[in-house]
Amino acid sequence: MSVLVTGAAGFIGSHLVDRLLERGEAVVGLDSFDSFYPRRIKEANLAHAREFSRFTLVEGDIRDRSLVAKLPDTINSVAHLAARAGVRPSIRDPTLCADVNLVGTSILLDFAVARGIRPFVFASSSSVYGNNPKTPFSETDSVDHPVSPYAATKRGGELLCHAASHLHGLTCLALRFFTVYGPRQRPDLAIRKFSGLLLANGEVPRFGDGSTARDYTFIDDILEGVLAGLEWTRRSDPGFEVVNLGEARPIRLAEMIRVLGEAFGRSPRVRELPMEPGDVERTFADLERARALLDYRPSTDFPEGIRKFAEWYLAEGAHQDEVLGTA
Ligand code: NAD
């Protein structure tokens, strides 16, 4: 039997595939290699997985119903991570974001129902909390005021999962990831972008006065949560749950830039710019439910995670980004 991982060539998806393979599972990866960032980066993400004969990669779009219907019949659980990710791109093209994130999610839920597959993990996002004035953000807080199309589609995806579990007996778990970082991080995200600028002695653009804060979550901690989440969907009765995965330690933007500068041994030159539309003031995960349901205990503090990221960036990421010339 095998797990279907959508978005298998992406940042989080490729790490999840590696971890599942390393613990002996068979994995079917589905990815369209969309043009959001270069294919060669996604190919590098998949290099380790391709060494396993238990890994099958299907190249295609989650919105392609006939392709999805033909996926291998060994699949008995789904981890749905494929998406048009990111707040800013969703403001530039909200319809594409809605198409992939809502229609695509609906097609995967239909697939699970048609095949009688019960366990279904959905990658949601802390962005669903919008500008929540209450901290930390709890799963019981209102999520009715998204401030970007991306956030609206992630909330919509959760609601589609809820409806499918209610109507068809799926066990759906929506995991709200809080800004994930680490090796293979998406090239559009601040930590990776700023790293390239630091190494190239460029100015680091800081949106706002540096007081906005993010609950940056190291990839290894997210993976522990996703794997525990997958186990939970396999052993639990039909139903729907939503769980935060963060670190519960918000870091201010100014502090993030300082720690990053330290990790690369550079003094950041900062250019202050106005806040961008769609940005939220802060994110901060309440982890009580994650602990109770998944025994989730994140363990990587920010300076340690940044050191590990910087090590990878110098060895691989900066070459992929052509900051240090090709490897
Ligand atoms: P990513 O862009 O690196 O990975 C997404 C993958 O999905 C890519 O490889 C892409 O080619 C694939 N994809 C996109 N559209 C597709 C389609 N129509 N059909 C098939 N494949 C398609 O992003 P990521 O950062 O790894 O994010 C993974 C998931 O986690 C996403 O659902 C994202 O919304 C969610 N998430 C990420 C973060 C974060 O900080 N990285 C935070 C919250 C939520």
Side-chain angles (χ1 to χ4, degrees):
M1 300 317 282
S2 52
V3 191
L4 172 66
V5 178
T6 71
F11 163 39
I12 304 170
S14 66
H15 279 290
L16 177 62
V17 169
D18 288 351
R19 292 287 290 269
L20 288 165
L21 291 168
E22 280 158 11
R23 66 181 209 176
E25 300 209 31
V27 179
V28 175
L30 173 60
D31 203 294
S32 63
F33 294 85
D34 81 341
S35 57
F36 183 41
Y37 62 91
R39 181 175 184 118
R40 63 188 157 74
I41 297 183
K42 297 180 187 181
E43 290 288 358
N45 291 345
L46 283 176
H48 182 60
R50 285 189 193 276
E51 292 167 12
F52 289 79
S53 59
R54 279 180 278 108
F55 178 59
T56 309
L57 179 70
V58 177
E59 180 166 345
D61 198 302
I62 54 169
R63 292 167 295 172
D64 181 344
R65 281 178 184 278
S66 59
L67 174 126
V68 169
K70 287 190 217 109
L71 287 170
D73 54 17
T74 51
I75 295 166
N76 66 353
S77 38
V78 177
H80 173 37
L81 275 69
R84 281 302 276 209
V87 165
R88 290 174 194 170
S90 81
I91 296 171
R92 286 195 293 276
D93 195 344
T95 306
L96 174 63
C97 177
D99 198 29
V100 174
N101 297 2
L102 293 171
V103 176
T105 298
S106 192
I107 287 174
L108 281 159
L109 288 164
D110 287 355
F111 160 79
V113 171
R115 290 281 182 92
I117 299 166
R118 195 177 43 76
F120 194 102
V121 172
F122 170 65
S124 187
S125 161
S126 60
S127 64
V128 299
Y129 290 107
N131 267 317
N132 188 7
K134 175 190 149 285
T135 53
F137 298 174
S138 152
E139 293 87 344
T140 53
D141 292 349
S142 160
V143 283
D144 293 336
H145 304 95
V147 297
S148 68
Y150 171 69
T153 67
K154 284 291 164 182
R155 179 61 184 144
E158 293 180 352
L159 296 173
L160 287 169
C161 287
H162 183 278
S165 64
H166 174 77
L167 291 169
H168 304 291
L170 266 59
T171 306
C172 283
L173 178 65
L175 296 172
R176 292 179 177 162
F177 300 161
F178 282 65
T179 316
V180 190
Y181 74 103
R184 305 183 194 164
Q185 192 190 34
R186 279 200 338 256
D188 62 303
L189 291 176
I191 289 178
R192 181 161 177 173
K193 258 191 353 212
F194 292 0
S195 301
L197 289 166
L198 281 170
L199 290 182
N201 287 319
E203 280 184 334
V204 173
R206 193 186 67 199
F207 297 97
D209 64 2
S211 65
T212 57
R214 291 287 174 275
D215 195 354
Y216 296 105
T217 311
F218 191 62
I219 183 69
D220 290 358
D221 291 325
I222 284 287
L223 291 169
E224 290 304 319
V226 176
L227 292 168
L230 193 58
E231 287 307 321
W232 181 87
T233 60
R234 286 168 171 170
R235 70 171 181 264
S236 301
D237 292 336
F240 171 80
E241 273 291 352
V242 50
V243 170
N244 289 336
L245 293 182
E247 297 279 350
R249 267 187 305 241
I251 306 287
R252 286 155 53 104
L253 179 54
E255 174 72 357
M256 181 269 262
I257 295 172
R258 190 189 64 73
V259 174
L260 208 54
E262 249 175 44
F264 286 104
R266 307 278 168 121
S267 305
R269 290 190 297 123
V270 172
R271 185 157 49 101
E272 190 173 326
L273 296 168
M275 288 267 291
E276 294 265 280
D279 274 358
V280 297
E281 290 289 335
R282 81 192 68 77
T283 63
F284 182 177
D286 180 326
L287 297 179
E288 208 173 298
R289 189 179 292 180
R291 264 192 298 272
L293 220 63
L294 309 179
D295 194 27
Y296 173 72
R297 293 168 201 280
S299 60
T300 315
D301 72 19
F302 190 64
E304 182 193 348
I306 287 294
R307 270 194 303 279
K308 290 181 180 168
F309 168 80
E311 211 172 283
W312 169 82
Y313 194 72
L314 288 168
E316 288 183 47
H319 303 285
Q320 292 175 351
D321 295 346
E322 292 167 1
V323 173
L324 290 180
T326 49

